[in-house]
């Protein structure tokens, strides 16, 4: 399989799962036909030379759109297939009519039994929200029994192992919510009921259990369900509960995959070398987080979307060499242990140095992921609903837009998470980086656009002669409208800006005559229908005396950008996130204006020809 991250080889046993689609993984392909970055080859890798037949089967890209007639409507949904119910999904997946003809509920468990292969060690688990009187709250878990859902508990009629599976998952959910979310969360306990989804008549080949995690008709519970961080906690708890079920059954110690690495930083050297540093993932004493990591994998990419197969390491740093000089590379890191591999870190970017080049530091400070970022969408028969489409909320890889906009400029760059700056792992110093490009995205009050520590570090950096390009949609709202006196002082004295309104009301801005962006044209940024996220509330700002407005929002009197020069430092402050500018040409134009204003190629920075093992301290909090 050839994708933008390279090639991936996947072996498929054609003696199994012969009647349904087999998931191969998530890969990034360029549009169109491309044998290098967008193709799949079917190869006979069998070592059997006895003359057995190998069949070349179909390969499908993506989930596609629904084309199966609805059970009740008799029409196709016209929606992405992953949004459809179990009945249409199982029919598309190749299941026989006796699996899906009984309806959506029973199709789920029947499909699990049909897809089960001899020797598979499987469980069936589902989670739902609940509804009652509007006052009920909390989590209850179920196995099958012939009694109605009246609070009774009879585990004797369920498939073998079901009660143990339910107990393990339910206990993990309650423990994790109470220790990491709400210590007063209601535990409604174990129960049984005649739920068709759990009926061993439909699926008697594996343990089956269900959790009703919260009540969607209760305002308090519903608010938690709408929060993606709460759902992330639930998903991890369910996974960990299933692992503990198997470990207890097999009388072994459970091995939980680790959390992602922290405080990742990536630095570029000459001679085609990159240094990647990070902190080990968090663990805890309450059984909420994963186990400790014992190794790591560093993944690299040329476009920030398709990654290679990863370079393993036992250390918390890795030097990658042999790269083309003056080239852009993207990196992310995952933690590993015997339980598996963590989710990846945020994506960072580096551009390998050429002698005498200017150097900047890209800081990713967009960490927010909450219910206020839900995507409003008009859905037939439902009207406008708020949906949790993570790809349109925060994908933690917006450094890509910044890096690509710098590609045509003579500037190398490193990048880091803002946490590594706060901890002191990465030093803000003009001798290391002539400019800092700091992106807060839609971080707001809870996530802090700029914390007290970050403000102090930036103020010191600017006082030392460094330059700053700062962008984000909620900086004024956080620091001025809802900030302390010190936050307001930073906004006025350092950014030399006045906060006018929380929302400009438009998604378009243009350069001001006489400013660094004069003649740049009409810049449109994302309203949620493009490739990043909806900038729901772009800050309306204006320059204070000594600074200059450099953009205004279209059709309004609101400013969108402030430029200023104080002493030897220059600042460009954009009231909406840079990465959401729709046009790549406009992103490049903005970066070119910033580069020229800051005169980066005239700034002297310390240059290293290459990194060597043992020299990692050069990038510690003490600097080189």
């Amino acid at each position: 399989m050839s994708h933008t991250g390279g090639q991936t080889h996947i072996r498929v046993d054609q003696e199994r799962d012969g009647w349904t689609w087999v998931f191969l993984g998530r890969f990034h392909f360029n549009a169109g036909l491309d044998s290098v970055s967008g193709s799949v080859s079917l190869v006979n890798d069998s070592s059997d030379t006895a003359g057995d037949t190998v069949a070349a089967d179909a390969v499908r890209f993506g989930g596609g759109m629904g084309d199966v007639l609805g059970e009740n409507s008799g029409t196709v949904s016209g929606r992405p297939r992953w949004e459809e119910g179990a009945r249409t999904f199982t029919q598309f997946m190749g299941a026989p009519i006796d699996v899906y003809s009984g309806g959506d509920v029973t199709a789920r468990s029947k499909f699990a039994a049909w897809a089960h292969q001899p020797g598979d060690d499987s469980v069936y688990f589902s989670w739902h929200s609940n509804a009652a009187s509007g006052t009920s709250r909390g989590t209850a878990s179920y196995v099958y029994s012939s009694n109605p859902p009246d609070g009774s508990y009879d585990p004797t009629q369920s498939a073998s192992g079901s009660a143990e599976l339910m107990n393990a998952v339910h206990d993990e959910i309650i423990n994790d919510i109470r220790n990491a979310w709400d210590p007063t969360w209601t535990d409604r306990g174990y129960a049984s009921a005649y739920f068709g989804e759990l009926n061993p008549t439909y699926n008697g080949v594996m343990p089956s259990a269900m959790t009703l995690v919260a009540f969607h008709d209760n305002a308090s519970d519903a608010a938690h369900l709408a929060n993606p961080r709460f759902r992330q906690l639930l998903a991890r708890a369910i996974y960990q509960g299933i692992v503990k079920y198997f470990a207890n059954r097999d009388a072994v110690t459970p091995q939980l995959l680790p959390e992602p690495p922290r405080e990742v930083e990536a630095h570029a050297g000459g001679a085609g070398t990159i240094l990647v540093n990070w902190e080990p993932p968090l663990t805890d004493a309450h059984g909420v987080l994963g186990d400790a990591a014992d190794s790591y994998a560093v993944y690299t990419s040329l476009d920030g979307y398709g990654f290679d197969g990863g370079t393993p390491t036992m250390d918390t740093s890795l030097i990658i060499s042999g790269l083309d000089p003056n080239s852009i590379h993207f990196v992310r890191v995952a933690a590993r242990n015997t339980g598996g591999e963590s989710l990846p870190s945020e994506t960072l970017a580096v551009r390998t140095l050429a002698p005498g080049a200017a150097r900047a530091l890209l800081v990713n400070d967009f960490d927010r992921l909450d219910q206020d970022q839900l995507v409003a969408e008009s859905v037939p028969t439902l009207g406008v609903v708020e949906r949790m489409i993570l790809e349109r909320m925060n994908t933690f890889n917006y450094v890509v837009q910044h890096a690509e906009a710098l590609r045509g400029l003579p500037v190398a760059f490193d990048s880091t998470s803002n946490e590594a700056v706060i901890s002191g792992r990465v030093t803000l110093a003009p001798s290391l980086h002539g400019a800092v490009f700091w992106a807060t995205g839609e971080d707001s009050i809870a996530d802090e656009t700029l914390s007290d520590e970050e403000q102090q570090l930036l103020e010191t950096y600017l006082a030392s002669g460094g330059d700053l390009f700062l962008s984000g949609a909620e900086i004024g709202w956080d620091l001025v409208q809802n900030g302390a006196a010190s936050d307001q002082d930073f906004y006025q004295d350092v950014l030399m800006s006045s906060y006018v309104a929380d929302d400009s009301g438009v998604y378009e801005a243009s350069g001001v005559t006489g400013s660094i962006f004069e003649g740049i044209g009409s810049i449109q940024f994302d309203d949620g229908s493009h490739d990043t996220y909806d900038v729901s509330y772009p800050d309306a700002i204006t320059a204070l005396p000594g600074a200059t407005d450099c953009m205004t929002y279209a059709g309004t009197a609101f400013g969108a950008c402030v430029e200023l020069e104080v002493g030897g430092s220059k600042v460009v402050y954009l009231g909406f996130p840079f990465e959401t500018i729709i046009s790549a040409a406009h992103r490049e134009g903005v970066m070119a204006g910033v580069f020229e204003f800051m005169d980066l190629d005239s700034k002297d920075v310390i240059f290293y020809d290459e990194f060597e093992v043992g020299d990692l301290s050069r990038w510690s909090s003490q600097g080189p």
Side-chain angles (χ1 to χ4, degrees):
M1 185 179 306
S2 299
H3 49 89
T4 63
Q7 289 193 338
T8 300
H9 299 271
I10 300 174
R11 295 180 65 90
V12 177
D13 184 352
Q14 293 189 302
E15 293 183 347
R16 302 175 64 84
D17 303 312
W19 300 101
T20 188
W21 293 100
V22 178
F23 178 69
L24 300 180
R26 292 174 63 92
F27 306 93
H28 183 263
F29 298 93
N30 285 330
L33 301 176
D34 188 335
S35 61
V36 175
S37 61
S39 65
V40 175
S41 300
L42 298 176
V43 181
N44 179 6
D45 281 342
S46 175
S47 60
D48 191 343
T49 59
D52 289 345
T53 299
V54 176
D57 213 338
V59 175
R60 176 163 57 93
F61 289 77
M65 303 295 288
D67 58 4
V68 175
L69 291 178
E71 181 178 14
N72 298 318
S73 66
T75 60
V76 297
S77 70
R79 304 289 299 181
R81 197 180 308 282
W82 65 270
E83 296 183 357
E84 295 189 319
R87 181 197 176 278
T88 49
F89 173 80
T90 55
Q91 183 176 354
F92 170 77
M93 291 294 286
I97 190 171
D98 61 303
V99 168
Y100 59 80
S101 61
D104 193 86
V105 171
T106 60
R108 304 168 194 171
S109 51
K110 286 182 177 180
F111 180 80
W114 173 76
H116 179 81
Q117 296 284 306
D120 283 351
D121 196 2
S122 306
V123 297
Y124 179 91
F125 186 85
S126 65
W127 69 284
H128 301 255
S129 59
N130 206 344
S133 60
T135 59
S136 298
R137 298 195 64 189
T139 302
S141 296
Y142 287 84
V143 293
Y144 179 80
S145 180
S146 57
N147 63 272
D150 56 7
S152 300
Y153 179 40
D154 175 15
T156 63
Q157 299 180 52
S158 58
S160 176
S162 297
E164 291 79 6
L165 172 65
M166 175 189 67
N167 296 351
V169 175
H170 179 89
D171 292 350
E172 189 70 27
I173 290 174
I174 298 300
N175 174 80
D176 291 8
I177 293 178
R178 286 183 171 177
N179 280 287
W181 195 268
D182 180 358
T184 67
W185 190 262
T186 302
D187 179 3
R188 304 179 70 87
Y190 311 144
S192 61
Y194 48 39
F195 294 137
E197 191 173 355
L198 304 177
N199 194 326
T201 301
Y202 305 130
N203 177 14
V205 298
M206 65 189 72
S208 299
M210 170 195 298
T211 290
L212 303 179
V213 298
F215 285 78
H216 57 254
D217 63 343
N218 178 281
S220 296
D221 271 19
H224 296 303
L225 288 171
N227 193 311
R229 295 294 188 188
F230 181 74
R231 295 200 192 188
Q232 183 182 48
L233 183 150
L234 281 174
R236 179 177 57 198
I238 291 169
Y239 149 74
Q240 291 181 345
I242 293 173
V243 170
K244 291 178 179 180
Y245 157 75
F246 280 114
N248 182 67
R249 186 201 64 182
D250 299 338
V252 298
T253 301
Q255 301 291 318
L256 304 176
L257 61 84
E259 303 301 311
R262 300 173 294 126
E263 299 184 23
V264 182
E265 45 177 308
H267 305 281
T273 61
I274 291 175
L275 168 64
V276 187
N277 283 332
W278 59 91
E279 280 286 292
L282 290 173
T283 59
D284 72 326
H286 303 291
V288 176
L289 303 177
D291 291 335
D294 55 31
S295 65
Y296 302 90
V298 178
Y299 296 90
T300 63
S301 169
L302 294 177
D303 63 6
Y305 303 110
F307 285 82
D308 65 9
T311 301
T313 178
M314 304 294 290
D315 300 319
T316 55
S317 64
L318 181 70
I319 296 173
I320 302 172
S321 58
L323 305 176
D324 291 336
N326 200 32
S327 57
I328 295 177
H329 300 271
F330 300 90
V331 299
R332 64 187 188 188
V333 188
R336 291 174 171 175
N337 61 20
T338 55
E341 182 171 299
S342 74
L343 295 173
S345 69
E346 60 201 288
T347 298
L348 297 180
V350 292
R351 187 180 196 176
T352 52
L353 293 171
R359 184 165 61 210
L361 177 67
L362 312 183
V363 180
N364 180 28
D365 190 12
F366 183 16
D367 304 313
R368 181 181 178 185
L369 191 61
D370 61 34
Q371 62 271 30
D372 291 329
Q373 296 169 275
L374 297 176
V375 178
E377 183 175 321
S378 179
V379 178
T381 74
L382 295 178
V384 177
V385 296
E386 291 187 332
R387 306 192 57 203
M388 195 177 296
I389 305 176
L390 298 179
E391 292 82 0
R392 294 165 61 187
M393 296 167 65
N394 190 351
T395 52
F396 301 93
N397 64 354
Y398 301 117
V399 69
V400 173
Q401 285 83 353
H402 293 73
E404 290 296 341
L406 289 166
R407 187 179 292 274
L409 298 171
V411 58
F413 50 82
D414 306 323
S415 62
T416 180
S417 64
N418 65 303
E419 291 83 5
V421 176
I422 295 173
S423 71
R425 287 176 58 89
V426 173
T427 302
L428 300 186
S431 61
L432 295 174
H433 302 100
V436 169
F437 298 165
W438 195 293
T440 69
E442 284 197 311
D443 273 359
S444 189
I445 301 170
D447 299 277
E448 290 195 293
T449 56
L450 291 172
S451 67
D452 292 342
E453 295 86 353
E454 291 167 329
Q455 292 174 38
Q456 183 59 56
L457 290 167
L458 285 173
E459 191 167 357
T460 300
Y461 171 76
L462 291 171
S464 301
D467 295 339
L468 173 65
F469 176 32
L470 174 68
S471 71
E474 303 291 343
I475 298 171
W477 167 259
D478 180 14
L479 299 186
V480 180
Q481 184 68 31
N482 295 281
S486 59
D487 296 321
Q488 297 170 12
D489 289 344
F490 176 86
Y491 195 83
Q492 296 169 6
D493 298 341
V494 178
L495 301 183
M496 297 182 66
S497 299
S498 175
Y499 172 71
V500 178
D502 179 39
D503 186 5
S504 69
V506 298
Y507 293 88
E508 185 177 343
S510 59
V512 173
T513 301
S515 76
I516 61 174
F517 297 130
E518 179 180 359
I520 200 170
S522 177
I523 294 175
Q524 295 179 323
F525 50 95
D526 205 338
D527 61 0
S529 61
H530 296 275
D531 296 329
T532 53
Y533 52 90
D534 183 3
V535 186
S536 304
Y537 299 95
D539 277 350
I541 60 179
T542 191
L544 291 176
T548 302
D549 291 317
C550 43
M551 284 189 198
T552 57
Y553 290 107
T556 78
F558 296 145
C561 177
V562 170
E563 64 178 84
L564 59 108
E565 180 176 0
V566 177
S569 295
K570 298 174 182 177
V571 176
V572 178
Y573 163 38
L574 192 62
F576 56 90
F578 169 82
E579 63 269 16
T580 63
I581 296 175
I582 297 169
S583 165
H586 278 141
R587 291 195 298 270
E588 293 167 2
V590 169
M591 277 298 189
V594 170
F595 180 86
E596 183 177 354
F597 173 61
M598 293 180 175
D599 196 19
L600 284 183
D601 53 358
S602 69
K603 289 179 174 281
D604 293 328
V605 295
I606 296 173
F607 171 76
Y608 291 113
D609 181 53
E610 61 182 325
F611 296 113
E612 297 177 359
V613 176
D615 288 345
L616 306 188
S617 61
R618 295 191 304 196
W619 291 95
S620 71
S621 59
Q622 301 302 313

